[in-house]
Amino acid sequence: MFKKVAGTKDILPLEIPQWQETENISRSIFSVYNYREIRPPVMEEAALFNRSLGESAEIVQKQMFLIKNKDETYALRPEATASIVRAYIENSLDKASALQKLYYIGPMFRLERPQKGRLRQFHHIGCEVIGSGDAGVDVEVISLADTILKACAIEGYQIKINSLGCLDDKKGLARILRESIKGQLNDFCQECRQRFDRNVLRVLDCKNESCRKIIAKLNISDRHLCPDCKEHFSLVKQGLDDLKVSYEVLPYLVRGLDYYTRTVFEITHRELGAQDALAAGGRYDKLVSELGGPDVGAIGFAFGVERLLLISGPKNNPDKNKDLVYVIALGQEAKREAGKILAQLRRENIASDTDYAGKSLKGAMRQANDSQAKCVLIIGEEELKKGTITLKDMISGQQKEIRQDELIRALKC
Ligand code: HAM
């Protein structure tokens, strides 16, 4: 028997209503904020991610699902920001409107060690605003994430923000950090010792307890920020205060992808355990021009949908199909008639189904009950002769015989 690939998940029919509810809430909020949906392919040239996320990023180093085809290497997208910037440039979306506000919902793929809240195929609900460096957009994007969480009735999350500054500031931060830790390098974990050369900023968000202790004593502040970036970050914080969005400034928040500049943020939830990030995002003001597009600012974020659902938990009996009409045919002739009735119901947009297994009346009634049908239509020899149908209300238990040509009216009232 075949089993699903490790780190993937079957989203079963019972879970679908919850997924759809989360997606629908997000779609309607994106729409209120004037974002439009974009659906890039799940496969891109691997080089797009190497270039965008950075050769030293963990995702690029170890986590990409690669597909080799002749001389080309494709990757199943580990995230969508790079794809959307590629699509923005390739389709000249900047010519259509200077500010593109886009959202997406779909699967991402990372070759990670599976654990609770960490999958190899997972889903993002995310957005990207391309075409502005304005701090007001940062405020909009962070408050949009907050609005979605509130609309999903999720409580107890923390919004953590930081500013990495512009590219020069990031280099400055890396310099300050190297200076401060080089004397204690032997006390860091092996991975951090490698990060010291490759991408020292990643040392700041190492989860290793002993590394965390040293980092906590470093007194990282905003001294790496130039006056413009300091001003930008102040405006972001001021805007969030104005909207009463609660947040915490975390100087250690750096994020694992190279493209970030200035504002970065993460939304965490304690109940998630080790993989506590519900969402993450930030500004990437140099990525669009780096990939050959115009020199414009951009910012976005993505929710991990599986993690959102872990927090919001299963709803009560979400699969109840309250409006289902169940047709039971007794005998071959009646079965033909039932086929025509089903087609008629469906043309009228009435959710309907039947038992194809030739069950007895008792068995078919049980099936109707299991399907949570609101009423059952029974056609047997008697009904066929008279041109009638027996209609049973599954809630009141009442039963009546009606003429076939009255059926739709009877069901609709
Ligand atoms: P990310 O932090 O890599 O950022 O992923 C965003 C969210 O996806 C995480 O906070 C987490 O909830 C979820 N996630 C990540 N990896 C997994 C996994 N293996 N299993 C389950 N959930 C996971 C990005 O991908 C950026 N593209 C976000 C962004 C958009 N930045 C700017 N625009």
Side-chain angles (χ1 to χ4, degrees):
M1 194 175 65
F2 290 110
K3 294 261 173 78
K4 60 184 178 295
V5 171
T8 65
K9 199 177 156 333
D10 297 311
I11 304 164
L12 297 172
L14 261 178
E15 300 168 78
I16 290 292
Q18 217 191 339
W19 278 77
Q20 287 177 338
E21 194 186 335
T22 306
E23 289 164 4
N24 292 342
I25 288 172
S26 305
R27 278 180 204 287
S28 82
I29 292 170
F30 280 129
S31 165
V32 166
Y33 279 73
N34 198 27
Y35 288 59
R36 290 179 309 158
E37 187 174 355
I38 183 166
R39 299 186 190 188
V42 296
M43 208 177 355
E44 298 276 356
E45 272 182 57
L48 171 69
F49 299 111
N50 298 1
R51 181 89 176 265
S52 308
L53 315 189
E55 296 285 354
S56 66
E58 222 163 349
I59 298 180
V60 168
Q61 293 261 317
K62 312 184 204 156
Q63 298 174 351
M64 290 229 282
F65 279 97
L66 298 174
I67 303 162
K68 298 221 189 301
N69 177 39
K70 293 187 186 141
D71 298 334
E72 288 157 330
T73 307
Y74 306 135
L76 293 182
R77 62 178 181 193
E79 58 108 57
T81 309
S83 301
I84 286 166
V85 171
R86 196 260 319 129
Y88 168 90
I89 298 168
E90 190 172 343
N91 298 289
S92 305
L93 295 187
D94 57 315
K95 306 278 185 319
S97 164
L99 187 66
Q100 285 289 335
K101 297 172 49 162
L102 306 165
Y103 79 88
Y104 50 94
I105 297 180
M108 309 291 151
F109 306 85
R110 294 184 194 173
L111 195 50
E112 298 201 72
R113 201 159 38 81
Q115 64 178 84
K116 182 187 163 202
R118 190 162 75 186
L119 293 150
R120 289 179 169 175
Q121 179 180 335
F122 58 98
H123 295 75
H124 272 170
I125 292 178
C127 66
E128 311 295 342
V129 182
I130 310 178
S132 172
D134 193 277
V137 183
D138 306 39
V139 175
E140 175 175 297
V141 160
I142 297 171
S143 73
L144 170 51
D146 185 52
T147 306
I148 291 179
L149 288 172
K150 290 203 165 87
C152 291
I154 293 178
E155 291 170 356
Y157 54 88
Q158 275 97 40
I159 301 179
K160 295 163 179 171
I161 66 170
N162 190 23
S163 177
L164 300 174
C166 54
L167 287 183
D168 281 345
D169 294 352
K170 271 175 82 174
K171 281 185 200 144
L173 178 60
R175 223 175 12 249
I176 295 171
L177 199 57
R178 275 207 186 89
E179 272 308 305
S180 350
I181 65 174
K182 70 174 181 209
Q184 311 167 68
L185 208 52
N186 287 337
D187 301 330
F188 278 92
C189 70
Q190 196 192 344
E191 208 156 341
C192 278
R193 290 204 291 273
Q194 286 167 1
R195 285 170 178 154
F196 184 84
D197 296 317
R198 271 206 322 252
N199 188 352
V200 71
L201 295 188
R202 295 291 289 148
V203 169
L204 287 180
D205 63 359
C206 179
K207 300 277 186 284
N208 186 300
E209 215 26 66
S210 54
C211 301
R212 292 231 59 79
K213 274 192 194 139
I214 312 172
I215 291 156
K217 289 192 199 129
L218 290 181
N219 193 19
I220 300 287
S221 65
D222 63 357
R223 66 191 152 120
H224 61 286
L225 294 183
C226 66
D228 278 357
C229 289
K230 235 179 218 163
E231 166 73 4
H232 183 273
F233 195 39
S234 297
L235 289 173
V236 174
K237 289 183 281 186
Q238 192 185 75
L240 292 174
D241 292 339
D242 289 345
L243 298 186
K244 304 210 168 7
V245 174
S246 309
Y247 64 88
E248 185 189 341
V249 177
L250 211 73
Y252 306 105
L253 185 67
V254 286
R255 312 274 305 119
L257 311 171
D258 262 12
Y259 54 58
Y260 289 119
T261 49
R262 290 195 161 175
T263 314
V264 284
F265 65 100
E266 214 166 70
I267 305 181
T268 58
H269 201 295
R270 270 197 207 97
E271 276 176 35
L272 284 172
Q275 303 300 318
D276 66 351
L278 269 177
R283 230 173 218 295
Y284 47 95
D285 286 342
K286 290 293 154 208
L287 182 61
V288 184
S289 58
E290 168 76 13
L291 295 181
D295 188 10
V296 290
I299 181 167
F301 74 83
F303 280 113
V305 183
E306 285 78 0
R307 295 188 192 176
L308 280 182
L309 297 184
L310 274 175
I311 294 299
S312 58
K315 301 268 184 313
N316 282 341
N317 209 1
D319 196 34
K320 204 160 183 134
N321 189 352
K322 289 196 201 84
D323 294 328
L324 186 74
V325 174
Y326 202 85
V327 182
I328 298 176
L330 303 169
Q332 201 49 41
E333 264 313 289
K335 209 170 165 187
R336 275 186 70 188
E337 199 55 39
K340 286 190 256 170
I341 290 172
L342 271 173
Q344 186 191 9
L345 295 178
R346 288 164 178 170
R347 268 198 306 276
E348 294 288 335
N349 255 342
I350 297 173
S352 43
D353 207 350
T354 189
D355 149 49
Y356 290 102
K359 286 195 172 88
S360 66
L361 179 59
K362 199 171 155 202
M365 284 302 287
R366 198 175 310 124
Q367 179 74 50
N369 209 31
D370 291 349
S371 309
Q372 284 152 351
K374 88 168 171 182
C375 70
V376 167
L377 304 179
I378 305 165
I379 317 165
E381 265 178 39
E382 274 303 300
E383 285 89 351
L384 268 183
K385 255 190 245 153
K386 292 193 268 177
T388 59
I389 296 178
T390 299
L391 191 157
K392 179 170 177 154
D393 185 315
M394 295 295 276
I395 297 155
S396 67
Q398 280 175 357
Q399 190 167 307
K400 61 182 175 189
E401 203 171 329
I402 55 167
R403 288 212 328 263
Q404 264 202 34
D405 56 8
E406 283 174 355
L407 176 63
I408 299 298
R409 198 157 47 86
L411 289 174
K412 284 194 170 169
C413 66

mmCIF file of all heavy atoms in Angstrom, residues 59 79-81 104 110 112 117-119 122 124 127-128 255 257 259-260 277-282 284 300-304 307, ligand 1:
data_model
loop_
_atom_site.group_PDB
_atom_site.id
_atom_site.type_symbol
_atom_site.label_atom_id
_atom_site.label_comp_id
_atom_site.label_asym_id
_atom_site.label_seq_id
_atom_site.Cartn_x
_atom_site.Cartn_y
_atom_site.Cartn_z
ATOM 1 N N ILE A 59 17.258 27.721 3.413
ATOM 2 C CA ILE A 59 16.323 27.156 2.433
ATOM 3 C C ILE A 59 17.070 26.774 1.162
ATOM 4 O O ILE A 59 16.863 25.699 0.608
ATOM 5 C CB ILE A 59 15.192 28.179 2.112
ATOM 6 C CG1 ILE A 59 14.383 28.481 3.373
ATOM 7 C CG2 ILE A 59 14.307 27.675 0.990
ATOM 8 C CD1 ILE A 59 13.250 29.476 3.172
ATOM 9 N N GLU A 79 8.877 29.358 -1.239
ATOM 10 C CA GLU A 79 8.136 30.536 -0.790
ATOM 11 C C GLU A 79 7.690 31.265 -2.057
ATOM 12 O O GLU A 79 8.121 30.909 -3.161
ATOM 13 C CB GLU A 79 9.013 31.432 0.090
ATOM 14 C CG GLU A 79 10.282 31.911 -0.589
ATOM 15 C CD GLU A 79 10.236 33.379 -0.949
ATOM 16 O OE1 GLU A 79 10.037 34.200 -0.056
ATOM 17 O OE2 GLU A 79 10.397 33.713 -2.146
ATOM 18 N N ALA A 80 6.823 32.281 -1.907
ATOM 19 C CA ALA A 80 6.254 32.865 -3.119
ATOM 20 C C ALA A 80 6.754 34.272 -3.433
ATOM 21 O O ALA A 80 6.507 34.778 -4.527
ATOM 22 C CB ALA A 80 4.733 32.878 -3.009
ATOM 23 N N THR A 81 7.449 34.903 -2.488
ATOM 24 C CA THR A 81 7.855 36.296 -2.720
ATOM 25 C C THR A 81 8.699 36.430 -3.994
ATOM 26 O O THR A 81 8.427 37.296 -4.841
ATOM 27 C CB THR A 81 8.643 36.829 -1.503
ATOM 28 O OG1 THR A 81 7.867 36.569 -0.338
ATOM 29 C CG2 THR A 81 8.925 38.311 -1.610
ATOM 30 N N TYR A 104 -1.835 35.977 -2.334
ATOM 31 C CA TYR A 104 -1.769 34.617 -2.879
ATOM 32 C C TYR A 104 -2.096 33.607 -1.803
ATOM 33 O O TYR A 104 -1.910 33.855 -0.605
ATOM 34 C CB TYR A 104 -0.367 34.331 -3.458
ATOM 35 C CG TYR A 104 0.768 34.663 -2.512
ATOM 36 C CD1 TYR A 104 1.332 33.687 -1.673
ATOM 37 C CD2 TYR A 104 1.261 35.956 -2.411
ATOM 38 C CE1 TYR A 104 2.356 34.004 -0.792
ATOM 39 C CE2 TYR A 104 2.279 36.283 -1.527
ATOM 40 C CZ TYR A 104 2.812 35.310 -0.729
ATOM 41 O OH TYR A 104 3.815 35.635 0.159
ATOM 42 N N ARG A 110 9.327 22.653 1.208
ATOM 43 C CA ARG A 110 10.682 22.745 1.787
ATOM 44 C C ARG A 110 11.083 21.383 2.327
ATOM 45 O O ARG A 110 10.313 20.744 3.054
ATOM 46 C CB ARG A 110 10.724 23.776 2.937
ATOM 47 C CG ARG A 110 10.490 25.186 2.455
ATOM 48 C CD ARG A 110 10.637 26.217 3.568
ATOM 49 N NE ARG A 110 10.078 27.484 3.119
ATOM 50 C CZ ARG A 110 9.918 28.565 3.864
ATOM 51 N NH1 ARG A 110 10.322 28.547 5.116
ATOM 52 N NH2 ARG A 110 9.390 29.671 3.377
ATOM 53 N N GLU A 112 12.377 19.885 4.809
ATOM 54 C CA GLU A 112 12.764 20.055 6.213
ATOM 55 C C GLU A 112 12.509 18.763 6.958
ATOM 56 O O GLU A 112 11.814 17.876 6.467
ATOM 57 C CB GLU A 112 11.908 21.147 6.851
ATOM 58 C CG GLU A 112 12.080 22.501 6.212
ATOM 59 C CD GLU A 112 11.652 23.618 7.140
ATOM 60 O OE1 GLU A 112 12.383 23.873 8.109
ATOM 61 O OE2 GLU A 112 10.617 24.226 6.888
ATOM 62 N N GLY A 117 3.799 21.225 13.128
ATOM 63 C CA GLY A 117 3.826 22.579 12.554
ATOM 64 C C GLY A 117 4.919 22.778 11.526
ATOM 65 O O GLY A 117 5.131 23.885 11.046
ATOM 66 N N ARG A 118 5.677 21.701 11.216
ATOM 67 C CA ARG A 118 6.719 21.838 10.183
ATOM 68 C C ARG A 118 6.554 20.729 9.161
ATOM 69 O O ARG A 118 6.776 19.551 9.461
ATOM 70 C CB ARG A 118 8.107 21.801 10.807
ATOM 71 C CG ARG A 118 9.173 22.196 9.798
ATOM 72 C CD ARG A 118 10.453 22.581 10.459
ATOM 73 N NE ARG A 118 11.159 21.418 10.933
ATOM 74 C CZ ARG A 118 12.273 21.462 11.665
ATOM 75 N NH1 ARG A 118 12.780 22.609 12.023
ATOM 76 N NH2 ARG A 118 12.858 20.353 12.049
ATOM 77 N N LEU A 119 6.156 21.112 7.961
ATOM 78 C CA LEU A 119 5.857 20.130 6.921
ATOM 79 C C LEU A 119 6.762 20.352 5.720
ATOM 80 O O LEU A 119 7.434 21.379 5.615
ATOM 81 C CB LEU A 119 4.393 20.305 6.479
ATOM 82 C CG LEU A 119 3.362 19.946 7.549
ATOM 83 C CD1 LEU A 119 2.109 20.768 7.387
ATOM 84 C CD2 LEU A 119 3.040 18.470 7.467
ATOM 85 N N PHE A 122 3.486 22.705 2.726
ATOM 86 C CA PHE A 122 2.607 23.474 3.607
ATOM 87 C C PHE A 122 2.013 24.602 2.769
ATOM 88 O O PHE A 122 2.313 24.725 1.587
ATOM 89 C CB PHE A 122 3.399 24.005 4.815
ATOM 90 C CG PHE A 122 4.565 24.872 4.437
ATOM 91 C CD1 PHE A 122 4.465 26.253 4.444
ATOM 92 C CD2 PHE A 122 5.769 24.310 4.036
ATOM 93 C CE1 PHE A 122 5.530 27.065 4.079
ATOM 94 C CE2 PHE A 122 6.852 25.102 3.659
ATOM 95 C CZ PHE A 122 6.729 26.477 3.678
ATOM 96 N N HIS A 124 0.771 28.748 2.264
ATOM 97 C CA HIS A 124 0.862 30.157 2.640
ATOM 98 C C HIS A 124 -0.400 30.909 2.247
ATOM 99 O O HIS A 124 -0.964 30.660 1.176
ATOM 100 C CB HIS A 124 2.030 30.838 1.899
ATOM 101 C CG HIS A 124 3.340 30.743 2.614
ATOM 102 N ND1 HIS A 124 4.529 31.111 2.039
ATOM 103 C CD2 HIS A 124 3.649 30.338 3.881
ATOM 104 C CE1 HIS A 124 5.518 30.941 2.911
ATOM 105 N NE2 HIS A 124 5.006 30.452 4.026
ATOM 106 N N CYS A 127 0.815 38.128 1.161
ATOM 107 C CA CYS A 127 0.614 39.271 0.264
ATOM 108 C C CYS A 127 1.941 39.974 0.012
ATOM 109 O O CYS A 127 2.890 39.823 0.788
ATOM 110 C CB CYS A 127 -0.397 40.245 0.859
ATOM 111 S SG CYS A 127 0.164 41.049 2.347
ATOM 112 N N GLU A 128 2.013 40.694 -1.091
ATOM 113 C CA GLU A 128 3.194 41.474 -1.436
ATOM 114 C C GLU A 128 2.710 42.813 -1.984
ATOM 115 O O GLU A 128 1.833 42.841 -2.849
ATOM 116 C CB GLU A 128 4.036 40.774 -2.532
ATOM 117 C CG GLU A 128 4.341 39.297 -2.294
ATOM 118 C CD GLU A 128 5.217 38.989 -1.075
ATOM 119 O OE1 GLU A 128 5.890 39.902 -0.560
ATOM 120 O OE2 GLU A 128 5.190 37.830 -0.611
ATOM 121 N N ARG A 255 15.440 37.317 10.622
ATOM 122 C CA ARG A 255 14.850 36.549 9.525
ATOM 123 C C ARG A 255 15.927 35.881 8.669
ATOM 124 O O ARG A 255 17.012 36.395 8.516
ATOM 125 C CB ARG A 255 13.933 37.411 8.650
ATOM 126 C CG ARG A 255 12.946 38.257 9.395
ATOM 127 C CD ARG A 255 11.681 37.499 9.716
ATOM 128 N NE ARG A 255 11.102 36.947 8.525
ATOM 129 C CZ ARG A 255 10.922 35.638 8.326
ATOM 130 N NH1 ARG A 255 11.256 34.783 9.251
ATOM 131 N NH2 ARG A 255 10.405 35.195 7.232
ATOM 132 N N LEU A 257 16.112 35.152 5.400
ATOM 133 C CA LEU A 257 16.223 35.330 3.953
ATOM 134 C C LEU A 257 16.986 36.626 3.664
ATOM 135 O O LEU A 257 16.749 37.646 4.296
ATOM 136 C CB LEU A 257 14.820 35.381 3.311
ATOM 137 C CG LEU A 257 13.891 34.233 3.748
ATOM 138 C CD1 LEU A 257 12.469 34.458 3.253
ATOM 139 C CD2 LEU A 257 14.424 32.910 3.238
ATOM 140 N N TYR A 259 16.878 38.748 1.306
ATOM 141 C CA TYR A 259 16.303 39.913 0.627
ATOM 142 C C TYR A 259 15.772 41.001 1.545
ATOM 143 O O TYR A 259 15.486 42.104 1.108
ATOM 144 C CB TYR A 259 15.239 39.503 -0.398
ATOM 145 C CG TYR A 259 14.077 38.629 0.044
ATOM 146 C CD1 TYR A 259 13.206 38.997 1.068
ATOM 147 C CD2 TYR A 259 13.810 37.437 -0.639
ATOM 148 C CE1 TYR A 259 12.119 38.212 1.423
ATOM 149 C CE2 TYR A 259 12.714 36.638 -0.296
ATOM 150 C CZ TYR A 259 11.882 37.030 0.736
ATOM 151 O OH TYR A 259 10.808 36.259 1.084
ATOM 152 N N TYR A 260 15.647 40.708 2.843
ATOM 153 C CA TYR A 260 15.033 41.715 3.713
ATOM 154 C C TYR A 260 15.918 42.931 3.952
ATOM 155 O O TYR A 260 17.131 42.825 4.133
ATOM 156 C CB TYR A 260 14.671 41.092 5.064
ATOM 157 C CG TYR A 260 13.508 40.129 4.984
ATOM 158 C CD1 TYR A 260 13.673 38.789 5.323
ATOM 159 C CD2 TYR A 260 12.256 40.550 4.559
ATOM 160 C CE1 TYR A 260 12.606 37.902 5.247
ATOM 161 C CE2 TYR A 260 11.190 39.666 4.480
ATOM 162 C CZ TYR A 260 11.370 38.352 4.823
ATOM 163 O OH TYR A 260 10.320 37.475 4.744
ATOM 164 N N ALA A 277 6.250 30.393 14.888
ATOM 165 C CA ALA A 277 5.886 31.505 13.989
ATOM 166 C C ALA A 277 4.617 31.190 13.199
ATOM 167 O O ALA A 277 4.566 30.231 12.433
ATOM 168 C CB ALA A 277 7.039 31.805 13.036
ATOM 169 N N LEU A 278 3.606 32.023 13.422
ATOM 170 C CA LEU A 278 2.353 31.894 12.662
ATOM 171 C C LEU A 278 2.501 32.562 11.303
ATOM 172 O O LEU A 278 1.872 32.167 10.326
ATOM 173 C CB LEU A 278 1.247 32.679 13.386
ATOM 174 C CG LEU A 278 0.372 32.021 14.412
ATOM 175 C CD1 LEU A 278 -0.570 33.046 15.014
ATOM 176 C CD2 LEU A 278 -0.440 30.913 13.754
ATOM 177 N N ALA A 279 3.292 33.628 11.286
ATOM 178 C CA ALA A 279 3.455 34.415 10.060
ATOM 179 C C ALA A 279 4.766 35.173 10.155
ATOM 180 O O ALA A 279 5.296 35.382 11.251
ATOM 181 C CB ALA A 279 2.320 35.421 9.926
ATOM 182 N N ALA A 280 5.275 35.582 9.003
ATOM 183 C CA ALA A 280 6.487 36.378 9.001
ATOM 184 C C ALA A 280 6.554 37.179 7.718
ATOM 185 O O ALA A 280 5.932 36.819 6.718
ATOM 186 C CB ALA A 280 7.708 35.466 9.114
ATOM 187 N N GLY A 281 7.303 38.265 7.787
ATOM 188 C CA GLY A 281 7.422 39.071 6.580
ATOM 189 C C GLY A 281 8.378 40.217 6.777
ATOM 190 O O GLY A 281 9.104 40.284 7.768
ATOM 191 N N GLY A 282 8.354 41.120 5.818
ATOM 192 C CA GLY A 282 9.223 42.277 5.920
ATOM 193 C C GLY A 282 9.404 42.961 4.587
ATOM 194 O O GLY A 282 8.859 42.545 3.557
ATOM 195 N N TYR A 284 11.574 44.348 1.360
ATOM 196 C CA TYR A 284 12.679 43.882 0.515
ATOM 197 C C TYR A 284 12.862 44.903 -0.610
ATOM 198 O O TYR A 284 12.532 44.696 -1.753
ATOM 199 C CB TYR A 284 12.419 42.452 -0.002
ATOM 200 C CG TYR A 284 11.036 42.214 -0.569
ATOM 201 C CD1 TYR A 284 10.795 42.313 -1.927
ATOM 202 C CD2 TYR A 284 9.964 41.896 0.260
ATOM 203 C CE1 TYR A 284 9.524 42.109 -2.447
ATOM 204 C CE2 TYR A 284 8.690 41.695 -0.243
ATOM 205 C CZ TYR A 284 8.482 41.800 -1.603
ATOM 206 O OH TYR A 284 7.221 41.609 -2.124
ATOM 207 N N GLY A 300 5.983 42.483 2.266
ATOM 208 C CA GLY A 300 4.928 41.473 2.282
ATOM 209 C C GLY A 300 5.053 40.585 3.495
ATOM 210 O O GLY A 300 5.933 40.780 4.349
ATOM 211 N N PHE A 301 4.164 39.624 3.592
ATOM 212 C CA PHE A 301 4.237 38.629 4.673
ATOM 213 C C PHE A 301 3.503 37.381 4.224
ATOM 214 O O PHE A 301 2.774 37.391 3.225
ATOM 215 C CB PHE A 301 3.608 39.166 5.976
ATOM 216 C CG PHE A 301 2.104 39.225 5.941
ATOM 217 C CD1 PHE A 301 1.331 38.100 6.218
ATOM 218 C CD2 PHE A 301 1.455 40.400 5.604
ATOM 219 C CE1 PHE A 301 -0.059 38.147 6.168
ATOM 220 C CE2 PHE A 301 0.059 40.458 5.546
ATOM 221 C CZ PHE A 301 -0.693 39.324 5.833
ATOM 222 N N ALA A 302 3.708 36.305 4.968
ATOM 223 C CA ALA A 302 2.938 35.085 4.692
ATOM 224 C C ALA A 302 2.583 34.397 6.003
ATOM 225 O O ALA A 302 3.411 34.302 6.923
ATOM 226 C CB ALA A 302 3.744 34.141 3.813
ATOM 227 N N PHE A 303 1.331 33.942 6.075
ATOM 228 C CA PHE A 303 0.884 33.093 7.175
ATOM 229 C C PHE A 303 1.159 31.644 6.801
ATOM 230 O O PHE A 303 0.959 31.262 5.644
ATOM 231 C CB PHE A 303 -0.645 33.170 7.339
ATOM 232 C CG PHE A 303 -1.140 34.371 8.065
ATOM 233 C CD1 PHE A 303 -1.892 35.332 7.409
ATOM 234 C CD2 PHE A 303 -0.869 34.529 9.412
ATOM 235 C CE1 PHE A 303 -2.375 36.438 8.091
ATOM 236 C CE2 PHE A 303 -1.351 35.638 10.107
ATOM 237 C CZ PHE A 303 -2.098 36.597 9.438
ATOM 238 N N GLY A 304 1.535 30.825 7.766
ATOM 239 C CA GLY A 304 1.556 29.385 7.554
ATOM 240 C C GLY A 304 0.156 28.879 7.888
ATOM 241 O O GLY A 304 -0.258 28.934 9.051
ATOM 242 N N ARG A 307 -0.356 26.208 10.549
ATOM 243 C CA ARG A 307 -0.153 26.710 11.923
ATOM 244 C C ARG A 307 -1.344 27.537 12.382
ATOM 245 O O ARG A 307 -1.732 27.467 13.549
ATOM 246 C CB ARG A 307 1.148 27.519 11.992
ATOM 247 C CG ARG A 307 2.349 26.622 11.730
ATOM 248 C CD ARG A 307 3.655 27.326 11.983
ATOM 249 N NE ARG A 307 4.756 26.524 11.461
ATOM 250 C CZ ARG A 307 6.019 26.896 11.467
ATOM 251 N NH1 ARG A 307 6.347 28.076 11.969
ATOM 252 N NH2 ARG A 307 6.940 26.105 10.978
HETATM 253 P P1 HAM B 1 8.831 32.305 6.112
HETATM 254 O O1 HAM B 1 9.090 32.830 7.491
HETATM 255 O O2 HAM B 1 9.855 31.424 5.554
HETATM 256 O O3 HAM B 1 8.664 33.595 5.198
HETATM 257 O O4 HAM B 1 7.435 31.586 6.062
HETATM 258 C C1 HAM B 1 6.250 32.241 6.488
HETATM 259 C C2 HAM B 1 5.449 31.339 7.413
HETATM 260 O O5 HAM B 1 5.223 30.080 6.790
HETATM 261 C C3 HAM B 1 6.138 30.981 8.722
HETATM 262 O O6 HAM B 1 5.983 31.997 9.676
HETATM 263 C C4 HAM B 1 5.391 29.723 9.117
HETATM 264 O O7 HAM B 1 4.148 30.042 9.719
HETATM 265 C C5 HAM B 1 5.116 29.060 7.771
HETATM 266 N N1 HAM B 1 6.099 27.987 7.478
HETATM 267 C C6 HAM B 1 7.366 28.132 7.059
HETATM 268 N N2 HAM B 1 7.944 26.919 6.883
HETATM 269 C C7 HAM B 1 7.019 26.000 7.192
HETATM 270 C C8 HAM B 1 6.995 24.569 7.217
HETATM 271 N N3 HAM B 1 8.051 23.833 6.854
HETATM 272 N N4 HAM B 1 5.851 23.942 7.606
HETATM 273 C C9 HAM B 1 4.752 24.669 7.959
HETATM 274 N N5 HAM B 1 4.721 26.015 7.954
HETATM 275 C C10 HAM B 1 5.831 26.680 7.590
HETATM 276 C C11 HAM B 1 8.446 33.516 3.857
HETATM 277 O O8 HAM B 1 8.245 32.518 3.234
HETATM 278 C C12 HAM B 1 8.427 34.885 3.185
HETATM 279 N N6 HAM B 1 8.193 34.671 1.763
HETATM 280 C C13 HAM B 1 7.371 35.771 3.791
HETATM 281 C C14 HAM B 1 7.339 37.112 3.111
HETATM 282 C C15 HAM B 1 6.427 37.503 2.214
HETATM 283 N N7 HAM B 1 8.242 38.045 3.255
HETATM 284 C C16 HAM B 1 7.921 39.059 2.460
HETATM 285 N N8 HAM B 1 6.841 38.727 1.815
#
